[in-house]
Amino acid sequence: MSRPKPLLALVAALALAPALAVAGGPDASAGNGGARDGTIAWQAIAGGQFRSSVRFEEASATVPVASFQLMSRPVSNAQFAAFLQRQPQWRRDRVPAVFSSPGYLGHWATPEAPGDHLDAQAPVVHVNWYAADAFCRDQGARLPDFVEWEFAAAADATRTDARGDRAWRMRQVNDGTPGAPDAARDAPPNVYGVYGLHGAYWEWTGDFSSLLGEGDRRGSEDGDALQFCGATALAFNDQADYGVVKRFVLLSALQPGATLGNLGFRCARSQP
């Protein structure tokens, strides 16, 4: 499996460049790293050599992860609504057809606001990859690579890599459900100060479209978009890393226009 920056991201960036330029691009607010939304908190994560549970094509047993910053919490309904005020072309009633999808923000009360029936601080869901990517670009940021998410998610509240703790890993069977380890509102952050990586919501990554298992049949004439589980399982160094395996399998099956009721996102920034 390879980890190139997907061509899709480049195509989307080129297509959106005029609209983003008209809207004014990210400013350079003092003390906020260029972010436009002052409600976003970022946590610095020191990188290093990392033994991923995913079997990449690199010959070495570990892959290098550069230091980066990650949003401490997933993007909320309120933060995404503020983004739509700045970038109204991403409202569900205005988004270009090439970037739209049937479920995109379909649960919101109006095209520009979630409504009182939704928690404004809850993670925004039913957002496709295109819109998530656009939000992060608006922040002068990007979606994290899968290995960056995995690196941060290997930590618990006291350890940078808790994967050797079988009991901790077994709890991740419930990732993406209300019973997930980090689903409760009072769940503590991990050692980096990041919340909810093993929560009730899956999260987009920037390179999701390159997460292909060995022998993946998608794209072939007889391929089925959902015939991936067995092939993808061959691409793991550690199939018992449930939190990683489940998310990898889910993301590798998605198309960029897909939306799910438990799929949100958070942004990352490379360290200067």
Side-chain angles (χ1 to χ4, degrees):
M1 191 191 73
S2 60
R3 286 193 296 117
K5 198 69 175 178
L7 179 61
L8 178 60
L10 177 60
V11 173
L14 292 175
L16 288 174
L20 293 176
V22 170
D27 61 19
S29 303
N32 201 29
R36 293 172 65 86
D37 190 336
T39 68
I40 291 177
W42 298 89
Q43 298 297 332
I45 298 177
Q49 289 294 319
F50 181 63
R51 186 181 187 278
S52 173
S53 293
V54 177
R55 187 177 306 144
F56 296 112
E57 289 183 349
E58 288 85 347
S60 63
T62 62
V63 293
V65 177
S67 296
F68 64 103
Q69 295 178 335
L70 194 64
M71 287 179 60
S72 64
R73 297 182 185 272
V75 175
S76 68
N77 285 308
Q79 289 167 335
F80 202 81
F83 162 70
L84 295 182
Q85 292 295 314
R86 298 190 299 271
Q87 305 278 5
Q89 71 272 22
W90 285 101
R91 289 172 33 155
R92 71 182 184 216
D93 59 341
R94 299 185 187 181
V95 63
V98 68
F99 300 126
S100 67
S101 51
Y104 176 58
L105 294 178
H107 64 310
W108 276 24
T110 67
E112 70 276 0
D116 294 337
H117 69 294
L118 293 176
D119 181 353
Q121 300 310 314
V124 66
V125 295
H126 287 298
V127 172
N128 63 33
W129 182 92
Y130 299 117
D133 178 69
F135 178 98
C136 292
R137 290 176 183 274
D138 180 70
Q139 296 299 318
R142 56 180 172 77
L143 287 167
D145 288 342
F146 187 86
V147 73
E148 290 177 321
W149 177 90
E150 184 187 0
F151 186 92
D156 68 1
T158 60
R159 298 167 289 189
T160 58
D161 192 342
R163 294 176 299 171
D165 184 339
R166 185 174 184 276
W168 180 78
R169 288 170 60 160
M170 284 298 295
R171 295 177 63 210
Q172 297 170 23
V173 172
N174 292 319
D175 272 16
T177 75
D182 295 341
R185 283 188 176 273
D186 60 351
N190 68 13
V191 72
Y192 299 116
V194 177
Y195 292 82
L197 288 173
H198 294 290
Y201 303 92
W202 310 114
E203 297 181 7
W204 284 112
T205 65
D207 57 352
F208 85 98
S209 64
S210 68
L211 302 181
L212 306 181
E214 297 173 359
D216 195 298
R217 298 176 62 211
R218 293 176 304 156
S220 62
E221 292 183 0
D222 62 344
D224 184 322
L226 296 181
Q227 287 183 333
F228 61 87
C229 294
T232 301
L234 299 176
F236 290 105
N237 288 318
D238 187 352
Q239 297 179 33
D241 194 347
Y242 304 110
V244 170
V245 170
K246 289 178 66 176
R247 291 169 190 263
F248 183 98
V249 169
L250 173 78
L251 290 173
S252 68
L254 295 178
Q255 298 296 320
T259 68
L260 296 174
N262 64 343
L263 178 62
F265 71 99
R266 72 182 79 210
C267 306
R269 301 191 298 200
S270 301
Q271 288 280 56

